Amino acid sequence: MAAVRTSSEVALNRAAIAAVLIATLIFLAPIYWIASTAFKPKELAVSVPPTVLFEPEVTPFVRLFTKRVQMQKTVDPQAYEAAPWWEKKIYDGGERVLKVGKDVQLSQYPDRFMNSLIVAIVSTVLAVGMGTFTAYGFSRFRIAGEADLLFFILSTRMLPPVVVAIPMFLMYRMVGLNDSHIGLIILYVAFNLSFSVWLMKGFMDEIPKEYEEAALVDGYTRMQAFFKIVLPEAATGIAATAVFCFITAWNEYAFALIMTNRRAQTAPPFIPSQIGSGLPDWTTIAAGTFLFLLPVAIFTFLLRNHLLRGVTFGAIRK
């Protein structure tokens, strides 16, 4: 019987491993396709059947970072030979790079990428910071109507952003916050704050109150006990909350599309606008998407050890 049970357990483990591998391949397939398309020649991006094996090139990234126009005539052979390698790739595609004198005109992608970094980082810091203080108050003090207040905070996440985007746009236009970094930051902080409060409250509840009581007996003030005792203990929760808030702000599309136009526009609404000569340039779009995935992937990877506890504790535990 023991041998039969052992064989059954082995078979079950193998089935579980196979299921995990299949699920991993399914989830990673779109990532692979975006990454591979970012290094494909333009003609292979829409080939039928799809091309899997090809010689990678960096031309899509060159097109992503430069302004270009369609060439009306054949490039001069001497100018072609004198051009740098990356400009030759643009020539080979039937386009030329726009220049002011000898200076190459860069595309708007670096500015949009920087806008995403500024808005996502600042909004994450503010949302996690305010959420941590708020969660500490709910966890440690008796507040009248606590359950109703927590429900009200959570209710801000019950509507999708697109539902309130038009009213917010009208209000922002009246106060002059449309197409501004501070306007997007305020929206993302408000949107992420409820999640931050609920998740951090669960972490605060996990920290024994005796730690603070001992610190208070030793002469610490409440604020000193919070910063020297509670905050280090809550570091795992703060890191996990920051990951989720950063991902939400980094990937947000509806507000960024409606509330911004040029100055504060982030990368998500800008990337699909990269069109080629009459048709979408899928390799350039894929290159922009691939670069856009890297910061959030790196940030999540660095804090990966905190994510499991962030999922299994916090807001999902009463």
Side-chain angles (χ1 to χ4, degrees), residues 236-303:
T236 298
I238 293 173
T241 305
V243 169
F244 291 116
C245 290
F246 184 82
I247 291 174
T248 300
W250 185 256
N251 294 332
E252 202 283 324
Y253 182 83
F255 282 139
L257 177 65
I258 297 175
M259 310 298 291
T260 63
N261 183 20
R262 292 180 301 174
R263 182 176 55 190
Q265 188 182 51
T266 55
F270 174 76
I271 291 174
S273 68
Q274 299 303 290
I275 59 175
S277 302
L279 295 173
D281 187 352
W282 296 114
T283 58
T284 302
I285 294 174
T289 305
F290 176 74
L291 293 180
F292 183 73
L293 290 173
L294 291 181
V296 69
I298 293 172
F299 183 65
T300 305
F301 177 79
L302 293 177
L303 298 180

Side-chain angles (χ1 to χ4, degrees), residues 125-141 143 193 196-197 200 204 223 226-227 231 238:
V125 171
L126 292 177
V128 174
M130 290 190 289
T132 300
F133 279 105
T134 305
Y136 178 77
F138 278 117
S139 179
R140 292 297 188 263
F141 304 104
I143 300 175
L193 189 57
S196 177
V197 170
M200 285 306 303
M204 292 298 177
M223 191 63 69
F226 172 78
F227 281 106
L231 211 56
I238 293 173

Side-chain angles (χ1 to χ4, degrees), residues 108-109 111-113 115 119 169 172-173 176-184 187-188 252-274:
Q108 296 175 335
Y109 183 80
D111 293 335
R112 302 303 190 262
F113 192 88
N115 288 341
V119 171
F169 172 77
Y172 267 40
R173 188 174 61 178
L177 285 177
N178 58 313
D179 199 17
S180 65
H181 295 87
I182 187 65
L184 273 185
L187 280 175
Y188 292 167
E252 202 283 324
Y253 182 83
F255 282 139
L257 177 65
I258 297 175
M259 310 298 291
T260 63
N261 183 20
R262 292 180 301 174
R263 182 176 55 190
Q265 188 182 51
T266 55
F270 174 76
I271 291 174
S273 68
Q274 299 303 290

Side-chain angles (χ1 to χ4, degrees), residues 46-63:
V46 292
S47 62
V48 179
T51 304
V52 178
L53 299 177
F54 59 93
E55 183 178 352
E57 60 179 40
V58 296
T59 307
F61 294 92
V62 177
R63 290 198 296 267

Side-chain angles (χ1 to χ4, degrees), residues 39-188:
F39 293 92
K40 283 182 179 180
K42 186 186 296 186
E43 62 274 8
L44 296 183
V46 292
S47 62
V48 179
T51 304
V52 178
L53 299 177
F54 59 93
E55 183 178 352
E57 60 179 40
V58 296
T59 307
F61 294 92
V62 177
R63 290 198 296 267
L64 176 67
F65 283 97
T66 56
K67 289 185 177 180
R68 312 165 318 278
V69 293
Q70 192 74 16
M71 285 194 302
Q72 301 299 323
K73 58 182 180 179
T74 305
V75 63
D76 181 62
Q78 293 183 351
Y80 181 87
E81 291 299 327
W85 65 269
W86 56 267
E87 192 170 356
K88 291 180 180 178
K89 293 184 177 296
I90 299 298
Y91 285 144
D92 292 340
E95 297 176 317
R96 64 179 178 86
V97 179
L98 289 177
K99 297 181 179 180
V100 178
K102 294 184 179 180
D103 296 329
V104 175
Q105 285 191 272
L106 296 178
S107 70
Q108 296 175 335
Y109 183 80
D111 293 335
R112 302 303 190 262
F113 192 88
M114 185 58 63
N115 288 341
S116 290
L117 283 176
I118 293 172
V119 171
I121 291 174
V122 175
S123 64
T124 298
V125 171
L126 292 177
V128 174
M130 290 190 289
T132 300
F133 279 105
T134 305
Y136 178 77
F138 278 117
S139 179
R140 292 297 188 263
F141 304 104
R142 300 177 68 90
I143 300 175
E146 175 182 338
D148 294 332
L149 288 173
L150 286 172
F151 178 78
F152 173 76
I153 293 173
L154 184 63
S155 67
T156 60
R157 291 294 293 267
M158 293 182 180
L159 291 176
V162 70
V163 174
V164 297
I166 300 301
M168 291 301 300
F169 172 77
L170 296 176
M171 288 188 289
Y172 267 40
R173 188 174 61 178
M174 292 178 62
V175 298
L177 285 177
N178 58 313
D179 199 17
S180 65
H181 295 87
I182 187 65
L184 273 185
I185 290 171
I186 292 173
L187 280 175
Y188 292 167

